[in-house]
Amino acid sequence: MELLADGLLLFAAFAAAIYCATLARRMRALAALDSGLGGAIATLSRQVDEMRRSLTEAKAVAGASTTELTGVTRRAEAAAERLELLIAALNERDTPRREPAARRQSAPREASRDTLVRSLRDVAEVMNK
């Protein structure tokens, strides 16, 4: 009976030793920096740093774009106001007035139309920039 108990105890000790060796090998693999959990943590840390840098760059580019877009919008609004004024002036010129025939002259009217056309071209150039 003692011999059987000693044999079972020896078998249990041998099984425990194999189990401990297997766990030790798995723990070393898990803690390895090249692969395993350590490697995964290092990779994730690098990716987080890269994402932070990308986010910082994206914020800078967005800020610059916002500033540029604000400037372009202001120029477009100013050009739109000028166009409205020019169109209103052109409409006033085209409406018939009750002036004496002697005061109506075609040359000054043509000159003012040329001025309006030049002004409209200037506004168009500003809007195309």
Side-chain angles (χ1 to χ4, degrees):
M1 190 66 144
E2 270 185 46
L3 188 57
L4 187 61
D6 286 341
L8 287 175
L9 188 59
L10 185 61
F11 179 73
F14 184 69
I18 291 175
Y19 182 70
C20 287
T22 305
L23 281 179
R25 189 175 29 143
R26 287 183 181 177
M27 288 297 292
R28 277 193 299 269
L30 187 64
L33 291 178
D34 305 357
S35 61
L37 187 61
I41 290 172
T43 302
L44 287 174
S45 178
R46 269 185 267 131
Q47 288 176 347
V48 166
D49 289 341
E50 289 174 8
M51 290 300 290
R52 282 186 182 149
R53 270 185 265 138
S54 297
L55 183 61
T56 303
E57 291 174 9
K59 283 182 181 178
V61 169
S65 296
T66 301
T67 304
E68 184 179 343
L69 186 59
T70 302
V72 170
T73 303
R74 285 184 184 148
R75 284 191 358 228
E77 287 173 351
E81 287 178 13
R82 188 168 179 198
L83 274 173
E84 288 174 0
L85 290 174
L86 289 173
I87 289 172
L90 187 61
N91 285 338
E92 282 182 16
R93 289 296 228 170
D94 288 341
T95 57
R97 294 184 185 173
R98 296 180 185 217
E99 295 181 9
R103 293 184 80 189
R104 291 184 200 158
Q105 297 173 355
S106 62
R109 184 174 178 147
E110 292 300 319
S112 64
R113 279 187 185 252
D114 290 340
T115 305
L116 286 173
V117 169
R118 271 184 265 134
S119 298
L120 287 171
R121 285 184 185 149
D122 292 342
V123 169
E125 287 177 18
V126 168
M127 291 179 72
N128 288 332
K129 287 185 181 178

